[in-house]
Structures are given as C-alpha cells and as structure tokens.
Amino acid sequence: MANQLDLIVTTAMGLESVAAEELKKLGYDRLTVENGKITFSAQPVDICRTNLWMRTADRIRLKVGEFKALTFDSLFEQTKALPWADFLPENANFPVTGKSHKSVLHSVPDCQAIVKKAIVESMKKHYHKEWFTEDGPQYKIQIALNKDIAALSIDTSGDGLHKRGYRQLHNIAPLKETLASAMILLSRWTPDRPFVDPFCGSGTLPIEAAMIGQNIAPGFNRSFVSENWPLFQDGEWNRAREEADNLANYDQQLNIMGSDIDHKMIELSEHNALEAGFSGLITFKQMQVADFTSKQESGCMIGNPPYGERMGDLKQIEGISRDLGQLFKKYETWSFYFISSFEDFESFFGRKATKKRKLYNGRIRTDYYQYFGRKYPIRQETES
C-alpha cells in the first residue's frame, strides 16, 4: 500500500467544524470539509491516531476512489480499475454496504453486488487466483452514491467511534458520547473549572468531561477493525497507543459532578464511571436541578434536559427551563449550556441565549443554547 492515503472522517450533521478543529489540534491541515465528512491526506499511522483521538467523529474511512457513474457498466469498470490489491490482502473478508442519494443508480443492492463482483475481478488479475476464501481480516467496503458521484471507501474503525467501551449500561434515551464531547468542546471548558451536569442520566457528559480534562484518548480502551490489517506490521498501533498514554495527564485534578432526580440513574452513572476508570474522581448525587447550590466561581453547567414526548411532558419541561433560568441569575459567573428541542426554551429560561447552534441528537433536531457567565473570558467564548 502506498504511504500516502486519503482519509475520510465522518460526523453527525452540525459537528463538522468541531471535528475539523480536533484534526487541526492533532496536527492535520489542508482539510476538505463537507456535509457530514472531512477529507485529508495522511500516512498509515494516522489511521491509528485518528481512531484513538477523535472525540466527535463517527468513523474513520479509507478512501479508495471516486468517480461519476451513470450506468452499472460504468460502475463496474471504474471500480475494477481501482488498485484494490494495494488495500486488500489475498484472504480479505470484504463485505460491501451501500447507499444512494439523488442518483440514477438508485438500487443499492444492485450497486453492492456490482462493486463486489468488480473487486473480485480486480483481485483475480492481481493475485492470479479464481477463488478467494475471505477468511482473513475484515475490510468493510462502502459504495456511496451522491448525485451520481460514486465514492468507494473502507471502514477502519469497526464499531462506531462513539462506543468508547465504558457504557455497557445506559438509560432509555442516552446522549451519544460523540455529541456529549462536542457540547463540552464547544463550551471551551477547562479542567481547572467546576463542571456540573444536572441531568446526568447514564453519566456520559461527566465521563467525557473527565476524559477531556485528563487528555485521555477516547479510543484508548477499545479495539478497532484495522488493528488486524497487514498494513500495520511495524508496530504503528502500539506506538500510537504509547503516544496516547504518554500524553494523558492522569494526575490532573478534576471538579466534576453529575446529578439526576432518579436514583437509578445515579447508580448507572457510578457504574459507568467505574468502567471508565473515574471512580472517585466524579461526584454523582441524586438531586433535582432546582436544589443545586455552589460557592464556587466560574463554573460550567452543561446538560441535556428532558424534551419531547420521549423524555418528559410539557409542564415538566417548562418547569425545568424556568429552574435553569433562575440558576443562571443566581450564579452570574457560571456559564450554562443546554441542548434541547423545546422551541420555547429561551422564553421559559427567561432570556435569549448568548449564542445558539443547531445540533442533531440522533435524528432529533435541537438547539444548543449557550449562556456565557459574566466573569468568563469572552475572548475564548466567542471562538465557539
């Protein structure tokens, strides 16, 4: 395989710029940012680094080729012409998935079958074989058609990157780890400041904050499908993990608290914090949001309050929004950040957000309401 690769970082809608900022901090530049994805040139070791370090990305994909395809014959021939043997070993297990949007070739099953056949023909020519056992490492190939442009890529992650490995148990409507990280990164919270999540549920926001605060790579305690690829024969994965371990600041003191009105959620959060390695470092407390008190200055409250039919009735949502507004008045040096699909959130909170950003919680379109505290450095806040 060539040393120079094209990687695609996929994200949820609305998180592209946050993920791009992460990539820049990891040292990558010349990024091409589009809806739901970021493309950039990289080396093989960067597959390891990005999978380990990206907090807000869904997956890291290896781009094989891209071309216009208006007929099945064109799709077959152009797929066959790509250098598949540079990526797939002789015994590769390569299932093909697909999707099509606003394209002439709209039958996804047909496109998948054609791509699979074309890859087999390409490999026959290179390996001089008529049959492939497919009993080796997995290379999950995707054919994605968008406005007649066919993009072929290989998944390097396996399970989605939101699966950090610590949340074996969760509540009914959990906040995705990648979205939780994005909310924290957008707040510009730093580990020297208090952090509070008054609706902690299964503990995702406090745990993600702890990982950010101690600079722990979110993928450090999980595995990735590409770890088994022959491409990585020179210890790239081991070196990337050693780098992540060396960069972590396990001694960083943290002041993080999660609370919830449901004692079962507190037990769940404590269990997940233990799995994540933060037992005793994060405080969890059963409490309704109106009872929150603190003598500390310049704290950061980030939360996912109940909203929608799935998570609470309208009166409850209105009451919680009012309670949050009262806290903001009481704690003038604190900054408050809440994600909600409740359209009247600002009205019941009692004031317009300093800044508002559209985000998607799964398929639910939400707004991220940001209220900046009086003494918090405005110079940093406006960067988000």
Side-chain angles (χ1 to χ4, degrees), residues 119-153:
I119 295 171
V120 169
E121 291 302 313
S122 175
M123 292 179 68
K124 280 182 180 179
K125 184 175 180 180
H126 180 87
Y127 289 112
H128 305 292
K129 288 184 66 175
E130 289 298 314
W131 180 258
F132 298 95
T133 57
E134 294 198 47
D135 58 359
Q138 186 179 74
Y139 294 74
K140 193 172 183 180
I141 295 164
Q142 182 189 74
I143 167 65
L145 285 150
N146 184 34
K147 296 179 181 178
D148 298 321
I149 301 299
L152 286 149
S153 62

Side-chain angles (χ1 to χ4, degrees), residues 160-224:
L161 293 183
H162 70 282
K163 294 188 177 180
R164 320 290 207 211
Y166 64 79
R167 199 171 72 175
Q168 303 301 320
L169 303 173
H170 56 76
N171 53 332
I172 295 173
L175 189 69
K176 214 170 184 178
E177 294 88 336
T178 44
L179 178 58
S181 273
M183 291 166 62
I184 298 164
L185 293 175
L186 285 168
S187 78
R188 305 291 178 178
W189 171 76
T190 51
D192 57 327
R193 300 171 63 202
F195 179 101
V196 174
D197 172 12
F199 314 98
C200 67
S202 54
T204 306
L205 272 163
I207 292 170
E208 291 296 315
M211 285 201 289
I212 290 170
Q214 292 193 339
N215 198 37
I216 295 172
F220 189 73
N221 290 315
R222 57 159 284 177
S223 60
F224 303 91

Side-chain angles (χ1 to χ4, degrees), residues 75 96-100 111-112 115 141-145 150-153:
L75 177 63
V96 179
T97 62
K99 58 183 180 179
S100 180
C111 291
Q112 289 175 193
V115 166
I141 295 164
Q142 182 189 74
I143 167 65
L145 285 150
L152 286 149
S153 62

Side-chain angles (χ1 to χ4, degrees), residues 51-79:
N51 270 300
L52 285 169
W53 280 104
M54 290 301 293
R55 301 183 189 279
T56 62
D58 288 342
R59 292 181 182 278
I60 311 299
R61 308 192 69 87
L62 174 57
K63 183 178 177 180
V64 181
E66 190 173 275
F67 49 81
K68 189 170 186 176
L70 297 174
T71 67
F72 287 135
D73 284 344
S74 174
L75 177 63
F76 177 85
E77 293 299 336
Q78 292 186 83
T79 299

